[in-house]
Amino acid sequence: MAAARAGGGAVLLRRLQGGGGCRALSGARAYSRDAEGSWFRSLFVHKVDPRKDAHSNLLSKKETSNLYKIQFHNVKPECLDAYNNLTEEVLPKLHSDADYPCDLVGNWNTWYGEQDQAVHLWRFSGGYPALMDCMNKLKQNKEYLDFRKERSRMLLSRRNQLLLEFSFWNEPLPRKGPNIYELRTYKLKPGTMIEWGNNWARAIKYRQENQEAVGGFFSQIGELYVVHHLWAYKDLQSREETRNAAWRKRGWDENVYYTVPLIRTMESRIMIPLKISPLQ
């Protein structure tokens, strides 16, 4: 009987050493290492609060109901001067007319980036109702309809987006020049807007010393999960020095580390303001 038990034990030992038992133990040890590694890595992963509302409500300013529209007009190269002259004649009239609940925020030509391009940023005070009120009134405005007809002959293409402003960014207010402006556009991975906002809410303080932060926006209609950051600099050298200074501030590198993985593509435009632009 004892010999039988001993023989059975030997068989079991051989199975454990050379068969499935060894693999099972190896697998268990591997699982344990993976679990330990996952737990260890979790200590360094940035946590984002669970979604409880649309990101537009969580990230936009509560004290205002401003809606923004950004327009990108690609102009025929031979028509850019005529386009600028026509724009500078008509758009200020809408800006100054109290019947239209819209304001010009900025008007530019792209200097570096897409060439022969105009960029216009509008603010609608009152949100979507203000936008619709403005659109309905423009349909009855003969001068504006003539302007659109003349403008259409000068354009190769155009597109626009409706935007909200991030709650933690500066209000884009008129400023004196001369300045150049950089529009940095980030196309994010879907589902990452809250995490982007969490990080930039802390990081924007590193970019305020030279008053370069003009405004930060995210898209609501048009291409989605698009972020626009607007910056102002005295010149390209000032831009270089200001950006380099940010890297010397403790915490800025952490923002870059956590936000770069959220980005699908990014683009930078250097823009020159038109004469009518409130942002000079």
Side-chain angles (χ1 to χ4, degrees):
M1 190 64 143
R5 283 198 297 270
V11 171
L12 177 59
L13 180 59
R14 284 195 299 272
R15 287 179 179 172
L16 289 175
Q17 289 175 336
C22 184
R23 288 191 294 270
L25 289 173
S26 176
R29 285 194 295 269
Y31 175 81
S32 177
R33 287 195 301 270
D34 289 345
E36 183 180 352
S38 296
W39 174 85
F40 184 75
R41 287 193 298 271
S42 72
L43 296 177
F44 302 96
V45 174
H46 181 61
K47 296 295 192 300
V48 181
D49 293 336
R51 285 281 297 274
K52 298 179 181 178
D53 203 348
H55 67 243
S56 59
N57 293 331
L58 295 172
L59 295 173
S60 61
K61 292 186 177 178
K62 301 294 190 298
E63 65 274 16
T64 67
S65 56
N66 291 333
L67 180 70
Y68 291 82
K69 178 170 73 171
I70 192 167
Q71 299 173 303
F72 299 95
H73 291 172
N74 292 315
V75 185
K76 296 176 182 177
E78 67 275 14
C79 296
L80 186 59
D81 289 340
Y83 171 93
N84 288 340
N85 291 335
L86 183 64
T87 296
E88 291 169 346
E89 178 184 348
V90 176
L91 296 190
K93 297 177 183 178
L94 299 178
H95 175 73
S96 60
D97 193 331
D99 286 338
Y100 291 88
C102 61
D103 301 300
L104 285 175
V105 177
N107 312 80
W108 303 271
N109 285 148
T110 301
W111 183 23
Y112 288 101
E114 288 192 65
Q115 297 294 284
D116 305 308
Q117 185 182 70
V119 180
H120 305 285
L121 183 62
W122 295 85
R123 180 193 296 113
F124 296 88
S125 301
Y128 290 108
L131 172 69
M132 296 308 299
D133 182 30
C134 192
M135 288 179 59
N136 290 332
K137 288 177 178 177
L138 288 175
K139 291 177 182 177
Q140 310 301 321
N141 185 327
K142 185 178 184 305
E143 183 180 14
Y144 182 77
L145 295 175
D146 290 342
F147 159 74
R148 282 177 56 103
K149 185 176 180 180
E150 180 67 21
R151 185 188 66 185
S152 67
R153 301 189 182 101
M154 305 176 183
L155 297 181
L156 294 170
S157 65
R158 59 192 179 102
R159 60 186 174 90
N160 58 24
Q161 294 172 337
L162 293 180
L163 314 170
L164 295 177
E165 57 185 328
F166 284 110
S167 60
F168 47 84
W169 266 81
N170 304 8
E171 184 80 15
L173 299 175
R175 64 172 65 196
K176 296 180 179 179
N179 295 294
I180 62 170
Y181 289 81
E182 181 176 18
L183 183 66
R184 295 179 71 88
T185 299
Y186 305 88
K187 297 180 181 180
L188 305 185
K189 298 174 183 177
T192 61
M193 188 66 74
I194 296 293
E195 188 170 359
W196 179 274
N198 284 348
N199 281 285
W200 268 97
R202 293 187 292 270
I204 189 65
K205 64 184 178 183
Y206 302 115
R207 299 296 307 274
Q208 297 281 14
E209 288 183 2
N210 296 316
Q211 299 182 332
E212 69 267 26
V214 178
F217 313 90
F218 59 98
S219 61
Q220 282 291 283
I221 296 179
E223 188 172 5
L224 299 179
Y225 286 96
V226 176
V227 170
H228 300 287
H229 290 175
L230 184 61
W231 309 91
Y233 305 100
K234 292 301 179 184
D235 50 38
L236 289 175
Q237 183 61 36
S238 172
R239 171 186 177 274
E240 179 75 5
E241 293 168 357
T242 300
R243 288 175 56 80
N244 286 341
W247 284 100
R248 294 192 289 271
K249 298 172 184 174
R250 185 176 180 181
W252 176 252
D253 57 341
E254 181 180 348
N255 172 62
V256 175
Y257 176 82
Y258 284 125
T259 55
V260 164
L262 311 180
I263 300 170
R264 291 191 294 117
T265 64
M266 56 190 295
E267 180 181 6
S268 170
R269 289 177 176 84
I270 301 297
M271 308 183 301
I272 305 297
L274 300 183
K275 289 185 293 186
I276 60 170
S277 178
L279 289 168
Q280 285 293 314

